[in-house]
Amino acid sequence: TLGLFTVWIALQASTQISDSVSIGRDDACGIRLAGLLIAVGIVFGRAVAGDWHGEGEMVVDFVRYGWPVIILAGLAALAELRLRPSVQQPLRPIVTFGLLPALIYVGLALVVLAVEPLSQVIAS
């Protein structure tokens, strides 16, 4: 939970994404944010799944399997700065500016899940 909120706060600090959703009522931005939070939840959920062996190993596993969220958050910050409404185009299409990026975030999270077991097989 702390990791999820850390990502969200960092994204808010760099892009004001929550203001775009709550004050600006940008539907596409809300969908992008939802897609990112789902993707972060997928990666972090995998990072904390497994057998309980203590706090130390949990933190090591969280870092080992959760680090791709940093890349996801960076991509989301860049996307947010490029996809937000502008004076020239105050209304952005929801499908191309909201749903498509959200699906890309979730798809990247699923790729992270698929690649991680393959790297373990190759290492064995």
Side-chain angles (χ1 to χ4, degrees):
T1 303
L2 181 61
L4 176 71
F5 283 120
T6 300
V7 170
W8 195 347
I9 289 167
L11 192 62
Q12 170 63 20
S14 62
T15 66
Q16 305 301 313
I17 193 166
S18 296
D19 293 345
S20 297
V21 174
S22 62
I23 297 170
R25 303 284 189 207
D26 183 5
D27 294 335
C29 181
I31 294 170
R32 286 193 303 272
L33 177 59
L36 176 68
L37 294 176
I38 290 168
V40 169
I42 289 170
V43 175
F44 280 167
R46 167 57 190 102
V48 297
D51 297 333
W52 174 258
H53 294 288
E55 294 88 5
E57 283 191 43
M58 183 207 54
V59 171
V60 169
D61 284 348
F62 183 76
V63 172
R64 179 184 301 145
Y65 298 119
W67 69 266
V69 164
I70 297 169
I71 296 170
L72 273 173
L75 289 173
L78 292 174
E80 188 56 34
L81 295 173
R82 300 251 320 139
L83 299 178
R84 68 177 53 187
S86 63
V87 174
Q88 295 83 15
Q89 194 174 13
L91 294 175
R92 301 282 188 151
I94 291 175
V95 172
T96 54
F97 285 82
L99 186 60
L100 184 60
L103 291 174
I104 290 171
Y105 299 151
V106 173
L108 288 172
L110 294 175
V111 167
V112 167
L113 289 179
V115 168
E116 183 264 319
L118 289 176
S119 66
Q120 288 181 354
V121 170
I122 293 170
S124 308

